[in-house]
Amino acid sequence: MSDDDFDNEGGIGEEDFAPSIDVVYPLQEETEVPQTNGKLFKTVTVEGTGAKPPVGARVTVHYTGTLVSDGSKFDSSRDRNDTFEFVLGKGQVIKGWDKGVATMRKGERAILRCEPEFAYGAAGSPPKIPANAALNFDVELISWSKREDVSAAKDSSIEKSTRREGQGWLKPDYESAVQATISIVQVNEDEDETDGAVLLGETPLDFTIGDHPDGDFPEAIEQALKSFKKGETSAVDVGGIAVKHDYAPFGLKAGAPFRAIITVKDFTKISIYDYKGMDKVTEGLKRKDQGNAWFQQQNWSRAIRKYERALEFVESDFGLDDEQKAAAKKLKIPTLTNLAQALINTGDYGKAIEKCDKCLAIDGANVKALFRRAKANNARGDWELAKPDLVKALQIDPANGDVQRELAAVQEKERAQAQRDKARYGNLFAKLAAMEEAEHRSA
């Protein structure tokens, strides 16, 4: 039976799958599937294992379809020796399949008895399926997969497979407080959806995204959590390239792949718009100080993110009185210069220059901003742009040793360039003179 054969009368949506109700389906006993109003029944003939497929999973099945009225067969993938694939919960098949297969586990075989409303309805599917026909489908769930690349670099180093859909559309992000559970298992070499040996049993998590030292909590898990919805359970497969440290509390070794099974129970998000007036400045200052703490630990990436977050709180003067605007301005200047230095330390000279530009737009005589803009320009080879900033900085602060040393380095590059120019153009002038002399002798 092709995709076209499965013309889903009435369609199916997310509301047909939520809230989920766990039901025990005894072996060889017909049981009504919840939320189907007596229109769909399931009889398990072979039990399966593992998790049930969520909405959006691509499932692979074998099936045989018969009429309930007389038992006559109208279609069978087994007869064709050709499995059938579809995406669950997206209306690609009849409603009885979307609802029934969602209750199955890998390897399970079951009879799905679909009343007409969950099959082909009053129209039927002539000539094989008459109008208002109840159908039996002997379905075997061979496999399913719902994998999503959730790595920041989109290099498939962190992939998520949803096992239970969450609610709503909100997802945690930077500084979200997350309450979850996690278990760690090995990744099976056959790369199927079954879990390997347990490395860490189910453990509660209660933490804030972005506020852990690199070696304290797996960065890959923090990244993956940003894709979760409330109530979601997913398996997160982390490749060895994304495991940058040993994580002793989780039994993980650097470079070793693993699978984390995570359930997000709840989370709270930080919204800048919830803060008004001086509270915005206070929250920005707190994050600037947190950035300084990361800076002292030479954790540049986390320092950069905290400084950026601090600036988000005070980037707009809307709703601030004059006193609060002055406090915001006072906060912006050191935050921008510290952020510029952290960016220089990571080699991101272009962004460092942008931050210095913003600082100098506020305070054109800020020595740190002049120095760090010059330092970034010099580092990327634009020493001619660096020199004026250094000269100006020394005029403001003649005793500044850092500026003096950077200017000396720029002047050394300037002298070296002058020597190269002299050698290049000196040779050129000598050749021109020789050519003119030769012309005179031949005249």
Side-chain angles (χ1 to χ4, degrees):
M1 188 173 289
S2 68
D3 288 335
D4 292 336
D5 292 326
F6 279 122
D7 184 11
N8 183 14
E9 182 176 288
I12 191 167
E14 296 280 348
E15 69 276 5
D16 293 291
F17 286 82
S20 177
I21 299 175
D22 290 327
V23 173
V24 175
Y25 294 93
L27 198 64
Q28 304 296 344
E29 183 177 320
E30 187 175 73
T31 306
E32 181 182 349
V33 176
Q35 300 172 322
T36 64
N37 298 317
K39 306 300 182 183
L40 178 64
F41 295 83
K42 172 181 164 183
T43 303
V44 177
T45 57
V46 178
E47 292 182 335
T49 59
K52 293 177 287 186
V55 174
R58 177 166 290 279
V59 298
T60 301
V61 300
H62 257 317
Y63 69 91
T64 299
T66 57
L67 299 178
V68 172
S69 59
D70 61 10
S72 61
K73 181 167 60 175
F74 56 84
D75 191 26
S76 175
S77 66
R78 296 183 179 94
D79 291 348
R80 296 189 299 273
N81 194 28
D82 184 17
T83 58
F84 178 70
E85 292 186 2
F86 67 97
V87 178
L88 190 66
K90 300 302 181 182
Q92 296 179 357
V93 293
I94 60 173
K95 204 168 186 178
W97 273 46
D98 262 338
K99 287 288 290 184
V101 174
T103 70
M104 300 178 69
R105 304 176 190 276
K106 182 180 176 182
E108 179 178 330
R109 188 164 176 173
I111 306 297
L112 299 178
R113 178 163 66 85
C114 308
E115 292 301 308
E117 295 87 345
F118 272 54
Y120 292 95
S125 184
K128 296 180 180 179
I129 301 174
N132 294 312
L135 308 177
N136 279 330
F137 287 97
D138 179 356
V139 180
E140 178 187 2
L141 178 57
I142 296 171
S143 65
W144 67 266
S145 177
K146 186 181 180 183
R147 301 183 70 83
E148 176 187 0
D149 184 358
V150 295
S151 62
K154 295 302 175 186
D155 59 1
S156 298
S157 59
I158 310 170
E159 292 188 318
K160 186 180 79 168
S161 178
T162 304
R163 296 187 174 181
R164 180 186 176 91
E165 288 287 330
Q167 297 87 45
W169 55 272
L170 288 176
K171 299 175 183 178
D173 55 15
Y174 183 65
E175 294 190 335
S176 289
V178 179
Q179 295 81 50
T181 60
I182 185 172
S183 57
I184 307 289
V185 300
Q186 290 179 338
V187 179
N188 282 333
E189 292 183 0
D190 57 5
E191 298 183 353
D192 64 9
E193 292 293 337
T194 60
D195 301 328
V198 175
L199 301 176
L200 176 73
E202 187 172 272
T203 302
L205 285 180
D206 190 351
F207 74 107
T208 301
I209 294 177
D211 280 350
H212 283 268
D214 290 341
D216 187 45
F217 190 84
E219 288 183 69
I221 298 303
E222 280 196 339
Q223 176 63 32
L225 281 170
K226 296 175 185 177
S227 69
F228 275 66
K229 298 176 183 178
K230 191 174 296 186
E232 177 182 333
T233 298
S234 289
V236 178
D237 284 356
V238 181
I241 191 174
V243 188
K244 299 177 181 178
H245 304 274
D246 289 346
Y247 301 100
F250 298 90
L252 303 175
K253 294 291 186 181
F258 68 92
R259 173 177 293 168
I261 297 121
I262 302 171
T263 298
V264 170
K265 296 182 176 181
D266 199 5
F267 62 84
T268 56
K269 294 168 68 75
I270 299 294
S271 174
I272 293 170
Y273 301 105
D274 291 338
Y275 299 88
K276 309 296 181 184
M278 200 63 191
D279 287 342
K280 293 174 67 176
V281 180
T282 300
E283 291 298 316
L285 179 60
K286 182 172 75 174
R287 285 159 177 80
K288 192 262 292 186
D289 291 341
Q290 291 171 339
N292 289 346
W294 287 120
F295 192 103
Q296 291 298 321
Q297 296 179 37
Q298 299 186 9
N299 192 321
W300 313 126
S301 62
R302 292 194 185 268
I304 288 168
R305 188 64 188 92
K306 279 297 178 185
Y307 290 141
E308 289 174 338
R309 186 64 151 176
L311 291 169
E312 289 171 12
F313 277 90
V314 293
E315 64 183 351
S316 172
D317 288 341
F318 180 77
L320 302 182
D321 60 27
D322 290 343
E323 181 181 354
Q324 293 162 354
K325 288 178 182 178
K329 177 180 176 180
K330 185 178 179 181
L331 171 62
K332 286 179 186 178
I333 291 172
T335 306
L336 284 165
T337 56
N338 290 357
L339 174 55
Q341 184 59 58
L343 289 163
I344 289 171
N345 292 345
T346 65
D348 197 342
Y349 304 120
K351 283 188 179 179
I353 291 168
E354 290 176 9
K355 304 309 176 186
C356 292
D357 288 344
K358 288 186 177 182
C359 181
L360 291 167
I362 301 170
D363 177 10
N366 187 277
V367 172
K368 285 186 177 179
L370 289 166
F371 169 63
R372 288 170 185 172
R373 184 167 71 177
K375 189 175 181 181
N377 273 318
N378 191 25
R380 65 178 189 176
D382 294 331
W383 55 266
E384 291 172 307
L385 293 176
K387 186 176 180 181
D389 280 344
L390 294 169
V391 170
K392 183 176 181 179
L394 274 182
Q395 290 171 348
I396 300 167
D397 184 7
N400 192 306
D402 289 334
V403 178
Q404 291 171 355
R405 284 186 287 275
E406 193 71 19
L407 179 58
V410 166
Q411 289 171 335
E412 179 60 33
K413 290 182 179 180
E414 188 176 35
R415 284 192 292 271
Q417 184 63 49
Q419 290 176 353
R420 287 192 293 271
D421 290 344
K422 182 179 179 181
R424 182 183 302 115
Y425 296 120
N427 290 336
L428 178 60
F429 294 146
K431 290 179 180 178
L432 289 174
M435 290 173 63
E436 288 179 359
E437 184 177 350
E439 289 177 0
H440 288 311
R441 285 198 300 266
S442 62

